[in-house]
Amino acid sequence: MKLLSLKHNRSITVAAGFALLAFSGFASAHHPMGGETPSTLWQGLLSGLGHPIIGMDHLAFIVAIGLLSAFAQLRSLLFPMTLVAATAVGAALQWSGVSLPYVEFLVALSVIVVGVFLLRTPEHLKVAGVAGSLAAVFHGLAYGESIIGAEPAPLGTYLLGLSLIQMVIAGTAFILGGLALRNGSVALLKIRKFAAAAIGCIGLVALSAAVGG
């Protein structure tokens, strides 16, 4: 029975990995408006709401942050909120003309790292928080590529939508992670392994795309 259970869990992980590899093809579609710069308040809002969802690497990162906050038994969403604010800062910096090389590479690397952290919560949470905030800025810089040239008004609604949807995603992951903690150590370990495998797959595909691109 133990061997069958092991095979069952392994098959689930492998299947999830392949499914996520397929879905990660959407990670290249990082522009909710089809590559067009938002020109109205409504377009800015929709672009901000859609960007973290259609960019699988960004989605994986913010889900992982919510889960990590729960697994570290943090009592509030302050950590995810800080990282969401950092992504908004990064996007605004990109819009203002600040650009850094290898952003997509660093974004992909950050997804892989948080995937690893899902297996084992970092001991030094403050250091991890600083590193996470820096990674979030890189995600924001990648976000900001879709709003270069936008007027200030659409930029404002873009950042609003971007922040709101990320908090919803992180908050949902935080709640689900908290529920996993209450289901016992065995169930928690399975969930952590599954989440780490799924997010790690997305990070590896994103890294491959960044290096190949």
Side-chain angles (χ1 to χ4, degrees):
M1 292 295 292
K2 187 175 182 180
L3 180 60
L4 289 174
S5 176
L6 178 61
K7 289 182 178 180
H8 179 65
N9 292 335
R10 186 178 297 173
S11 65
I12 290 176
T13 302
V14 172
F18 278 113
L20 286 164
L21 284 172
F23 276 116
S24 63
F26 290 104
S28 60
H30 277 161
H31 303 283
M33 303 306 297
E36 296 182 5
T37 302
S39 58
T40 66
L41 294 175
W42 182 244
Q43 287 180 352
L45 180 64
L46 289 179
S47 184
L49 290 172
H51 203 156
I53 297 175
I54 66 173
M56 290 296 291
D57 47 356
H58 302 307
L59 178 61
F61 179 78
I62 197 65
V63 167
I65 293 305
L67 290 175
L68 281 171
S69 298
F71 296 158
Q73 299 186 32
L74 301 181
R75 296 183 179 181
S76 71
L77 288 170
L78 180 61
F79 179 55
M81 288 173 63
T82 301
L83 267 62
V84 167
T87 63
V89 169
L93 287 173
Q94 181 71 270
W95 176 82
S96 66
V98 176
S99 182
L100 296 177
Y102 310 116
V103 168
E104 294 295 342
F105 174 83
L106 293 170
V107 165
L109 192 60
S110 72
V111 176
I112 295 173
V113 171
V114 293
V116 172
F117 282 166
L118 283 173
L119 291 175
R120 183 175 181 179
T121 304
E123 295 181 3
H124 304 288
L125 292 179
K126 290 184 178 180
V127 175
V130 172
S133 297
L134 182 60
V137 171
F138 292 134
H139 280 262
L141 289 169
Y143 284 139
E145 293 177 358
S146 65
I147 54 169
I148 293 176
E151 296 295 325
L155 170 67
T157 54
Y158 174 88
L159 294 177
L160 174 63
L162 181 71
S163 300
L164 287 176
I165 193 63
Q166 288 187 108
M167 279 310 305
V168 169
I169 295 169
T172 301
F174 180 79
I175 293 171
L176 293 176
L179 292 174
L181 284 173
R182 299 188 186 98
N183 285 332
S185 58
V186 176
L188 176 61
L189 181 60
K190 290 180 180 179
I191 292 172
R192 293 185 79 147
K193 285 183 177 179
F194 176 81
I199 290 171
C201 282
I202 294 175
L204 288 172
V205 172
L207 183 63
S208 177
V211 172

